[in-house]
Amino acid sequence: VSVVVTTPGGSVTKTSAFTYAAAPTVTSILPTSGPMAGGTVVTITGTNLSYVNSVTFGGVAGTVGTKSATSVSVTTPAFSDPGAFNVVVSGPNGSVTKTSAFTYVRGPALSGISPSTGLAAGGSTVTLTGQYLTGITSVTVGGTAGTNLVVTNSSSIQFRTPAKSAGTYDVTVTGPYGSSTLSSAFTYVAAPTVSSVSPAVGAVVGGQSVTITGTGLANASSVTFGGTTATITSTSATSVVVTTPAKVAGAVSVVVTTPGGSVTKTSAF
């Protein structure tokens, strides 16, 4: 409408100087939930929304984006508590409140992993435990996606590890309400290899010190000669030193077991 000001000196008219706008209405708010960290882009639909200059979630102001007569977009602010909160849409033409219209949901929080080691070839079935794990959509190990993800319940999920080079990596879960990372949580170990057994001959009474060389031999847990357990005296990534058990005369296979698996050297001693 035009605004006319009259004084003793006359009148002046400002054409279309003031707009009367109907109060805003809200018919929908989508999505209706998001993480407590904020950052969710919400679309509010209704009428008379062109003049909206403030949208609050539980009393905390969001960031208003694009708007039209029938919709306005807003980015949710961070919030300190989970739960359903009022959304208030305001402008110079009035305010409208939608009660308990947006729910803040806690993001995932990892606390445990089992097992924490596996083969570099991947394929280990791993269980992650924690809180608020419902809705998890991906798990990565060192940035590489795991497979066969199963959300058991809100505190437990399972997945299979991807192939990675030997080493220790972070494990991260991601869902609609955020991410959580266990630092240096999973260690890949290379499958063992054996290149030599020296010496290759010893007395049937046992007691011979033998050095087994190869790769991936660190933390070897068992060495057998023809199925009989030898005594491990030292291990490293490239060698295992053992004392042979007593056996009957003949050539026997040597089996070395490590966290990365087992390897057999046929008729090696």
Side-chain angles (χ1 to χ4, degrees), residues 194-222:
V194 170
S195 56
S196 68
V197 175
S198 180
V201 178
V204 294
V205 294
Q208 176 74 49
S209 179
V210 172
T211 300
I212 302 165
T213 57
T215 62
L217 301 177
N219 301 311
S221 59
S222 171

Side-chain angles (χ1 to χ4, degrees), residues 1-7 10-18:
V1 296
S2 298
V3 176
V4 179
V5 179
T6 301
T7 72
S11 297
V12 61
T13 300
K14 190 69 171 177
T15 305
S16 301
F18 188 84

Side-chain angles (χ1 to χ4, degrees), residues 57-162:
F57 295 76
V60 181
T63 302
V64 176
T66 58
K67 53 190 176 182
S68 69
T70 57
S71 71
V72 58
S73 67
V74 58
T75 302
T76 60
F79 210 81
S80 59
D81 297 300
F85 296 91
N86 295 348
V87 177
V88 180
V89 179
S90 303
N93 53 331
S95 298
V96 59
T97 299
K98 293 292 282 187
T99 304
S100 301
F102 190 85
T103 300
Y104 279 96
V105 181
R106 290 190 188 276
L110 291 175
S111 58
I113 182 171
S114 181
S116 59
T117 60
L119 290 175
S124 298
T125 299
V126 174
T127 298
L128 295 172
T129 53
Q131 292 180 298
Y132 317 112
L133 302 181
T134 302
I136 291 299
T137 55
S138 73
V139 180
T140 61
V141 184
T144 304
T147 60
N148 297 83
L149 173 62
V150 176
V151 180
T152 307
N153 51 50
S154 64
S155 60
S156 176
I157 63 176
Q158 287 187 334
F159 74 102
R160 287 185 185 172
T161 58

